[in-house]
Amino acid sequence: YIMFYNSEVTYIDKTHQYFDIKTGKQLTSVTTDLKRFVPKFNENKWSGFKAAQEGVSQYRKKLEWHLLRMHGTVKGSYIHEYIEFATQGKYFDKPIPDFLYKPAIEKCLQIADQFIEYYRDTFDLVVAELIVSNGKIAGQADNLSKRKESDIYNLSLLDWKTDREIKFDNPYDNLTEPYSNMPDTNYS
């Protein structure tokens, strides 16, 4: 288990759980809480629609989506950890998982290296994996940094995103109340 903690909250990485240190009470993660506002994806409806469009079976379309999610999760976790280590000045020596397409991962790492160079020239790390909580909900900021040559009050909160693309619009769905004016996207 990897555990992160601040003076009030501890986080267990393997199970993605937060706990109040004093009471032992489990807290709701920010990710879980935000799901309340995301419309439930109707996989049967949309996989059937896309399968018919593409002339493939619905089973094949669902399997394709499942494999893409799994691949994206592993790839995203790998790149995220790479950036996390580099911005903390740590050596990263994990091999690329065998089932990932190595040239694509190497391209992602090249892009990450460009960001890391910019980061090192621009920022000084204050704290990584900062746990924040209001006593009911808890989450983590990937990185809190201070811009170089500025006072301590010039801080930047950074979050590593490794999605294939950041979508700003969704013509099909919005979030639910009280955020129904916002599209259901990975940017919202």
Side-chain angles (χ1 to χ4, degrees), residues 56-102:
V56 298
S57 73
Q58 186 171 12
Y59 173 80
R60 180 183 170 128
K61 182 49 63 180
K62 285 182 177 182
L63 181 61
E64 177 187 326
W65 287 352
H66 176 73
L67 292 173
L68 283 171
R69 277 192 305 271
M70 284 178 46
H71 184 272
T73 297
V74 173
K75 180 184 89 170
S77 295
Y78 184 84
I79 301 298
H80 186 280
E81 191 172 5
Y82 179 83
I83 294 170
E84 182 180 317
F85 272 57
T87 56
Q88 294 178 50
K90 295 179 183 176
Y91 179 69
F92 185 81
D93 63 352
K94 266 189 172 175
I96 295 172
D98 289 336
F99 61 89
L100 294 180
Y101 182 58
K102 195 171 183 174

Side-chain angles (χ1 to χ4, degrees), residues 105-146:
I105 300 303
E106 289 170 344
K107 180 66 176 167
C108 290
L109 294 176
Q110 288 174 356
I111 295 167
D113 285 338
Q114 292 172 4
F115 168 77
I116 291 162
E117 182 179 341
Y118 165 78
Y119 174 85
R120 288 180 178 152
D121 290 344
T122 310
F123 296 101
D124 289 318
L125 177 67
V126 174
V127 63
E129 301 301 326
L130 173 67
I131 295 176
V132 292
S133 174
N134 67 359
K136 295 177 184 174
I137 300 171
Q140 288 183 69
D142 288 331
N143 180 297
L144 180 64
S145 291
K146 180 181 91 58

Side-chain angles (χ1 to χ4, degrees), residues 1-4 10-17 129 140:
Y1 289 103
I2 297 174
M3 294 180 69
F4 299 98
T10 189
Y11 170 73
I12 302 172
D13 193 44
K14 187 173 184 177
T15 57
H16 194 81
Q17 292 175 298
E129 301 301 326
Q140 288 183 69

